[in-house]
Every structure is written in structure tokens, then in C-alpha cells.
Amino acid sequence: MTPADLASIYRQYIACLNTRDWSNLGRFVHDEVSHNGKRIGLAGYRQMLENDYASIPDLHFNIELLVAEPPYVASRLQFNCSPKARFLELDVDGRKVSFAENVFYAFKDGKIFEVRSVIDKAAIEAQLSTLCGRA
């Protein structure tokens, strides 16, 4: 698989997430996927995403940076959304916040097999402290 092929698959995966096309998630995610070192499988991965959308109804994945070097993809995703209540142990309570996620993927058999993700929680904390200061 070429870097361009892998980047294309990744963009299709992000489109699948943004349209909440859960029936096609298995086209992109391996049955034995792990997330941050924990094997959760495709069903667990889908449940994690469904929970994310339930708690953040306006969730939308925006690719800011994408590097593909088979079998790996590195991406910086940008979010501008309004979590309904608590998010990352923070009381966001429907306020609009912007943050980034740095995520690394390992592919196996053309599908995402491992995901390592770090969300910029400090950016959210800074916004919440500014928003609270305005109240």
C-alpha cells in the first residue's frame, strides 16, 4: 500500500465517522482494534464513537495534518464542538470549545489495528477558565 492509498483510506474513514455510517465502520477498523493500549475490538470501538456522538451531538472530525507512512498514519484532528455535560472530567456543559487531538494509527490488513490518541485537554481548560471569567 502506498502512502497516497493509506491517506485516501484514512480520509474515507474520517468521512465515515462524520456521517455516522456505523454499518461501514468495519471497512476501516480491524475486528481486533486497540485504543490507547486496550484491546476493545470493533464493537467496543463503535460503542466508544457512538458514546462520543451522544455526549457531543455536534462532533465533527476535521483533519488539520495528515502524514501517511505505511503501515502508519499520524493525524492532528481539530474540533470545534459543544459537549453536553462533562468532557474529559471537565464541566463543559454545552459551551463551545476548540481543541486538537494528536492520533497515531497502525494499519493491518488495510484496516486500523491500533490507535494511540492524545487530546489537548489544557486547551479546553484554558477556554473554560476564560469563559467562566466572563460570567
Side-chain angles (χ1 to χ4, degrees):
M1 182 177 308
T2 69
D5 292 337
L6 194 55
S8 176
I9 290 169
Y10 182 72
R11 284 185 181 91
Q12 292 172 50
Y13 160 72
I14 293 298
C16 177
L17 298 185
N18 284 333
T19 59
R20 304 176 193 196
D21 185 6
W22 307 131
S23 63
N24 280 309
L25 189 62
R27 289 182 48 212
F28 307 103
V29 178
H30 198 281
D31 288 338
E32 298 176 19
V33 68
S34 67
H35 182 266
N36 287 344
K38 182 180 177 188
R39 182 90 34 188
I40 59 174
L42 178 58
Y45 197 79
R46 177 178 172 162
Q47 185 63 55
M48 177 185 70
L49 290 166
E50 289 176 336
N51 290 344
D52 289 346
Y53 275 101
S55 61
I56 311 170
D58 62 347
L59 183 62
H60 187 84
F61 293 75
N62 298 293
I63 300 171
E64 182 180 321
L65 178 65
L66 172 59
V67 177
E69 183 65 39
Y72 302 104
V73 165
S75 183
R76 180 173 174 88
L77 300 169
Q78 190 63 41
F79 300 92
N80 187 21
C81 56
S82 307
K84 290 194 303 191
R86 289 186 61 78
F87 177 62
L88 300 176
E89 301 177 3
L90 300 170
D91 292 319
V92 180
D93 298 322
R95 291 174 282 189
K96 181 82 69 180
V97 291
S98 296
F99 60 93
E101 175 184 17
N102 295 309
V103 62
F104 300 88
Y105 304 86
F107 281 70
K108 179 179 176 182
D109 303 325
K111 296 181 179 184
I112 297 168
F113 185 69
E114 292 180 34
V115 180
R116 299 282 180 168
S117 166
V118 178
I119 294 175
D120 187 358
K121 184 177 177 182
I124 300 168
E125 291 169 331
Q127 290 168 70
L128 293 176
S129 97
T130 300
L131 291 171
C132 289
R134 291 184 192 163

